[in-house]
Amino acid sequence: MEGDFIVPFARRGSIVGADELAMVGDLVDSGDVLSAGGLRDQFEARFAKHVGSRYALSVTSGTVALELAIEMLDLEPGDEVIATPQTFQATLQPLLDRDVRVRFCDIDPVTLNIDPTLLRSLVTDRTKAILLVHYGGYPADMDRIMAIARPRGIKVLEDAAHALGTGYFGRRPGALGDIGCFSFHSTKNITTLGEGGMITLDRDDWAERIDRRRNNEADGLYVPDATEEPFLLPWMKFSADVYRWTCVGVRKPGTNATMAEAAAGVGLVQMDKLDSLVERRRWIAGRLDDAIARFPGTRIQRVPSGIEHSYHLYTFFVDHGRDDLVRALHSRGVEVQLRYFPQHLTPEWRWRGHGLGECPVAERLWFDSHMNLPCHPGLSDAQVDHLVDAVSASLRDVLATRQRAS
């Protein structure tokens, strides 16, 4: 039991134990480098193979992954970006200091992802990019989205922070759009010691630019320099490379976003566990689905054939009495956290001109019916039993109260 809750929301989204500790211990004992070494290369190669992308570039957090990925869009003043309102603030933060217009696209009422039917009406000749999230591990309708974006040259950025272990008709998020971003935060489906991120993509030029930036080199525009090289001693850092190119412009200066070797090593171990971790989430979700679907006035996220939900978040909906249900669950020791507040209603985006009524589906679901329940592999069988019993009892209480009131 954590705090006052018998069934807490995830503080750790995966299971970290002896295998990860042994990996870190072996690294420390080896005397090898602790940054930008072989473990990082192995983790990236393993991740790219899993996702199905040509490149996977690790960084220090999912937020940094998003920042670097958005830089690849080369947004200019007057450009427009279509974005989901149903996401964590990190997805959109890099747009706040750019002179671009953000158009929020309302969401599908089941998946909570961008609704492709509404997306088409938001596209203009100024639309440069679409920023979407695979909410909770339920993949967005990527075939329809890409059918809108591709012919118009619109770039699609996938925030796949929730979607590791998700399947989409035999493919995986992170390789469905133009560039994907993953998070290995402590609460995610795997972790790299609390923080970490990955960028997945196929484009050679973007991969080179991101690699330079994360390694403290400028994202510059370079042309070959045929002038005679000055005398250099052979042990000088960079050797003659600094004279081989002339820089004619800098998009962004370099930064240090290098994932530590210990984090990458833990990521390798966690990748070995990914299938079992996600399977545990699906088993818990199945128990909850079976219980909740018995009650009138509830809706679960039914998953169609070809879709593999990774259940980073377990989500369902109630027609009436959502707040009463939250209170009833809390009284039975179940922690409820509602994720995420619609971004177009946050202070910074209201400051940018957005407000109530812009995304009515997202607003209605968030304020009236959207529910998230604990669903993570750290829950014991006994905790899952308690969770299912508490949800059933709480729904019975709310339903009975509604019947008496009517």
Side-chain angles (χ1 to χ4, degrees):
M1 181 170 175
E2 185 165 344
D4 296 328
F5 294 107
I6 300 170
V7 187
F9 224 79
R11 271 57 172 178
R12 290 187 180 183
S14 66
I15 297 172
V16 180
D19 294 337
E20 289 79 6
L21 187 61
M23 170 62 81
V24 174
D26 289 345
L27 173 64
V28 172
D29 291 341
S30 71
D32 289 341
V33 296
L34 298 177
S35 177
L39 291 176
R40 185 185 74 165
D41 294 342
Q42 292 176 48
F43 183 36
E44 292 175 350
R46 176 80 176 275
F47 201 90
K49 182 178 180 180
H50 173 83
V51 169
S53 60
R54 288 188 64 194
Y55 298 100
L57 300 170
S58 62
V59 290
T60 47
S61 72
T63 299
V64 170
L66 287 160
E67 290 171 352
L68 294 179
I70 286 174
E71 286 178 9
M72 296 304 103
L73 304 177
D74 293 326
L75 298 173
E76 298 178 353
D79 286 340
E80 294 183 358
V81 177
I82 300 173
T84 177
Q86 186 61 58
T87 187
F88 182 55
Q89 63 199 40
T91 306
L92 308 178
Q93 288 274 17
L95 299 178
L96 279 170
D97 64 350
R98 285 175 164 83
D99 184 16
V100 298
R101 180 184 182 187
V102 174
R103 297 165 66 90
F104 284 98
C105 180
D106 211 349
I107 58 175
D108 179 274
V110 175
T111 69
L112 304 188
N113 293 317
I114 278 181
D115 187 337
T117 303
L118 302 173
L119 175 65
R120 188 180 298 275
S121 66
L122 296 175
V123 173
T124 74
D125 58 2
R126 290 184 174 272
T127 305
K128 187 74 171 287
I130 298 168
L131 269 61
L132 59 83
V133 66
H134 302 292
Y135 178 85
Y138 198 131
D141 192 346
M142 291 299 294
D143 285 343
R144 292 177 65 195
I145 291 169
M146 297 309 294
I148 295 169
R150 281 272 190 260
R152 297 167 174 83
I154 299 169
K155 302 307 179 189
V156 177
L157 188 157
E158 302 174 71
D159 182 343
H162 298 176
L164 190 56
T166 291
Y168 181 81
F169 300 105
R171 296 173 289 158
R172 296 194 181 276
L176 304 173
D178 293 287
I179 190 165
C181 298
F182 292 82
S183 170
F184 309 129
H185 181 268
S186 179
T187 60
K188 297 303 188 291
N189 288 12
I190 70 168
T191 187
T192 51
L193 291 179
E195 292 287 0
M198 192 76 78
I199 305 168
T200 53
L201 67 159
D202 291 338
R203 282 182 53 163
D204 296 341
D205 57 335
W206 283 4
E208 180 181 356
R209 289 174 60 187
I210 292 170
D211 189 45
R212 292 183 65 87
R213 286 227 53 218
R214 69 170 179 168
N215 288 324
N216 250 328
E217 298 179 45
D219 177 15
L221 303 170
Y222 299 92
V223 295
D225 190 338
T227 59
E228 184 177 350
E229 297 171 0
F231 173 75
L232 290 170
L233 296 174
W235 51 84
M236 280 188 175
K237 188 173 176 63
F238 302 122
S239 185
D241 287 344
V242 293
Y243 296 103
R244 202 164 287 157
W245 303 93
T246 292
C247 180
V248 295
V250 173
R251 299 183 188 94
K252 285 285 186 177
T255 187
N256 182 2
T258 302
M259 177 177 282
E261 283 292 275
V266 168
L268 277 168
V269 176
Q270 289 271 289
M271 288 296 290
D272 288 337
K273 298 179 177 181
L274 176 61
D275 288 347
S276 63
L277 293 169
V278 173
E279 188 57 37
R280 178 70 176 178
R281 288 177 178 272
R282 290 181 179 138
W283 177 78
I284 297 169
R287 293 279 311 272
L288 289 168
D289 280 350
D290 289 344
I292 292 167
R294 296 189 178 102
F295 291 89
T298 65
R299 290 187 298 114
I300 60 174
Q301 288 186 316
R302 297 193 182 277
V303 181
S305 177
I307 298 297
E308 299 171 76
H309 197 322
S310 62
Y311 290 101
H312 173 68
L313 296 174
Y314 178 85
T315 303
F316 76 105
F317 311 91
V318 293
D319 291 341
H320 304 283
R322 193 274 305 275
D323 294 346
D324 291 336
L325 181 58
V326 172
R327 285 188 284 268
L329 287 166
H330 272 246
S331 72
R332 290 181 168 90
V334 175
E335 183 178 14
V336 176
Q337 295 183 4
L338 303 182
R339 295 183 175 177
Y340 298 94
F341 191 84
Q343 287 300 298
H344 66 292
L345 302 181
T346 59
E348 57 271 24
W349 287 107
R350 295 202 309 272
W351 170 70
R352 288 283 297 263
H354 301 277
L356 197 65
E358 190 170 348
C359 297
V361 176
E363 295 162 18
R364 173 175 55 81
L365 294 176
W366 169 261
F367 289 111
D368 296 335
S369 66
H370 171 173
M371 291 281 296
N372 297 127
L373 294 174
C375 183
H376 53 93
L379 295 177
S380 67
D381 287 355
Q383 285 175 307
V384 175
D385 289 341
H386 181 88
L387 172 62
V388 171
D389 291 343
V391 170
S392 298
S394 298
L395 281 169
R396 277 195 296 270
D397 287 351
V398 171
L399 184 61
T401 299
R402 191 165 72 242
Q403 289 173 340
R404 286 194 297 270
S406 61

